[in-house]
Amino acid sequence: MSVEVDWFLRAHPEITTVEAILPDCNGVMRGKWIPRPKLGKVFGGELKLPKTALSLDIWGRDVEELVFSTGDADGLCRPIEGTLLPAPWSPGGERGQVMLAMYDLNGSPYMGDPAHVLARVVERFHASGWRPVIAAELEFSLVTLNATGNGATLPDHTCPVPASSSPIGGNTYGLDVLNEHRVMMEDLRTACEAQDLPFDGVVKESAPSQYEVNMQHVSDPVLAARQIIMMKRLIKGVAAKHGLIASFMAKPFEEEAGNGMHVHCSVLDEKGLNIFDDGSDKGTPLLLNAIAGCLTYMAESVAIFAPSYNAYRRFQKGCHAPTYPSWGYENRTVAVRVPAGSPTARRLEHRVAGADTNPYLLFAVILSGMLEGIRENLSPGDPISGDGYAQEEAALPVYMPDAVQLFSESDFIRNSLGEELQRIYTLTKSQEIAEFRRRITDLEYLTYLERL
């Protein structure tokens, strides 16, 4: 038995079951429940799952083309060191969790696993003597469910709502709203401590029932992505303990702004100095190169930024989601913002992705874009002043089929994420699109059934 397992079992006699978790390409948790006596076998390399577990569609269905082309072969699931932890929100506190990574049976990383894809991108930075530093702002909606007369279940706001009306404003930065959920928020904080997650505070966001958790800067993007995966699971678990639903759905309410995930990134050299810092507010030419790379390859990456059919509902007027690859200084209406502050903390903020994105893949395409911009000495053009949403041309795809088509044909994606990830992600998203295309919505019936 490994030292980690032995220590964990001694420290947590109350835990009877450990959830072995493998995040798929959608960021959905797959895996197994492992009884306490069998935990040692997982750490002994005996846990296998089909490689196609990483490419299931959002409903958990196989993509037949992938199953038939591979014979649904197994991969080896190895525990990630340091992730064997209690899940304090579980009923009675009797469950723990451990994160997994997928390998080929010969021991090499399986490059359909988003964590390995990101690790390979980070290796390219290390080869140049650089270390990316990542932080994220993660938005979510705190809701309850309401069953409608036609059998559907819709989200209800947890913020104050006038009688027979919708909420009036979101009470942005309102401390009184946080106080209404103070018990849950305190449980969230203590759960983060138990799982050693870099919780840096929570604020009330601009939409009703919307909140934002800030994550601390981390100089290991793979760790940062894993912490976001764990944080999302933690928030959902703590909310459920209090009878609430924490949703990272990109656009849960038609008339309100959606949930995004903003990413802050700087790069340190071998001496630990920020390569974007020249002592001024402008930043170094390398910062401009990195921004230009993000903008150049942004359209090809939208299928990662907006992985769900619902995510494209954010890309419309008034939803605070950029539809044009623009940039600017201290401007929250552009796709890539350079925040004000100390020159030593000079960084870019990527503001396109929805909260439903897979953070491993999100970081991989952002960092790859930055690196390509630097290598190609690209220029981002002039910064935008004023309203970045008011661009005449919406150059980013705002429909899922268009985004997936660009993704599937992109040399940048193939070189950044690898052929295997590009292939399985394209097939998974294509299957999801086909399902939505064949469904008839209530709006279509209301519009056409009697009128035509």
Side-chain angles (χ1 to χ4, degrees), residues 37 81-82 118 162-163 178 198 273-274 288 292 338 362 369 374 380 426 441 444:
E81 184 179 355
L118 175 56
L178 291 176
L273 301 176
N274 186 353
L288 300 184
V338 179
L362 173 62
I374 292 172
T426 297
T441 66
E444 290 172 78

Side-chain angles (χ1 to χ4, degrees), residues 130 240 313 398:
W130 293 337
R313 312 245 185 241
V398 295

Side-chain angles (χ1 to χ4, degrees), residues 21 64 101 125 134 161 193 203 217 241 243 289 303 323 348 356 363 390 397 410 417 430 432-433:
I21 301 169
E64 289 189 356
F125 276 83
I134 292 277
V161 179
E193 289 182 355
V203 298
H217 285 80
K241 186 178 177 180
N289 295 153
T323 57
L348 62 82
D356 56 349
F363 293 172
S410 169
L417 306 186
S430 296
E432 292 175 9
I433 291 169

Side-chain angles (χ1 to χ4, degrees), residues 165-424:
S165 179
S166 298
I168 302 174
N171 197 4
T172 311
Y173 302 124
L175 294 177
D176 54 332
V177 182
L178 291 176
N179 196 51
E180 289 182 14
H181 299 293
R182 61 188 179 279
V183 178
M184 189 204 111
M185 295 300 177
E186 181 61 17
D187 280 355
L188 192 155
R189 183 190 64 79
T190 57
C192 286
E193 289 182 355
Q195 295 207 327
D196 196 26
L197 292 177
F199 175 67
D200 206 25
V202 60
V203 298
K204 178 66 190 63
E205 258 296 342
S206 59
S209 305
Q210 185 184 51
Y211 300 83
E212 179 183 273
V213 167
N214 300 319
M215 307 282 284
Q216 298 171 11
H217 285 80
V218 178
S219 60
D220 178 353
V222 179
L223 173 61
R226 184 166 70 244
Q227 289 173 335
I228 291 171
I229 288 277
M230 294 172 66
M231 177 67 83
K232 291 174 73 171
R233 188 166 190 269
L234 181 151
I235 292 171
K236 292 174 75 71
V238 171
K241 186 178 177 180
H242 290 269
L244 301 170
I245 293 171
S247 176
F248 296 89
M249 184 176 176
K251 192 80 162 72
F253 295 100
E254 291 180 355
E255 305 301 325
E256 308 295 347
N259 292 315
M261 186 191 300
H262 297 165
V263 178
H264 294 251
C265 188
S266 59
V267 180
L268 305 181
D269 63 18
E270 292 173 324
K271 297 180 180 179
L273 301 176
N274 186 353
I275 69 171
F276 296 157
D277 171 23
D278 66 353
S280 74
D281 291 336
K282 183 177 179 181
T284 65
L286 291 178
L287 172 62
L288 300 184
N289 295 153
I291 292 170
C294 289
L295 302 182
T296 299
Y297 300 108
M298 189 170 283
E300 297 161 58
S301 305
V302 167
I304 297 297
F305 305 147
S308 69
Y309 199 83
N310 170 263
Y312 294 82
R313 312 245 185 241
R314 291 179 62 236
F315 299 133
Q316 53 186 301
K317 187 176 181 179
C319 291
H320 306 297
T323 57
Y324 188 85
S326 57
W327 77 284
Y329 290 99
E330 195 48 32
N331 187 338
R332 285 184 167 85
T333 69
V334 295
V336 180
R337 165 182 173 246
V338 179
S342 169
T344 58
R346 188 65 60 231
R347 64 192 184 276
L348 62 82
E349 179 191 10
H350 201 287
R351 299 176 57 82
V352 182
D356 56 349
T357 187
N358 184 318
Y360 290 112
L361 300 179
L362 173 62
F363 293 172
V365 292
I366 291 175
L367 291 173
S368 293
M370 292 169 59
L371 196 56
E372 288 304 304
I374 292 172
R375 288 178 173 174
E376 298 174 25
N377 194 29
L378 298 180
S379 170
D382 295 331
I384 296 290
S385 298
D387 186 4
Y389 299 126
Q391 298 294 319
E392 294 183 359
E393 180 184 3
L396 299 180
V398 295
Y399 297 104
M400 190 176 183
D402 297 338
V404 172
Q405 183 73 19
L406 282 174
F407 177 92
S408 70
E409 298 172 348
S410 169
D411 290 335
F412 166 74
I413 292 297
R414 188 174 302 110
N415 295 331
S416 300
L417 306 186
E419 291 185 8
E420 178 70 355
L421 194 288
Q422 184 181 40
R423 181 176 73 99
I424 67 174

Side-chain angles (χ1 to χ4, degrees), residues 42-69:
V42 177
F43 279 74
E46 298 184 32
L47 177 57
K48 296 177 183 178
L49 288 173
K51 291 180 181 178
T52 52
L54 289 167
S55 54
L56 300 172
D57 71 15
I58 194 65
W59 300 282
R61 303 179 306 181
D62 282 317
V63 177
E64 289 189 356
E65 182 175 337
L66 294 173
V67 172
F68 296 148
S69 66

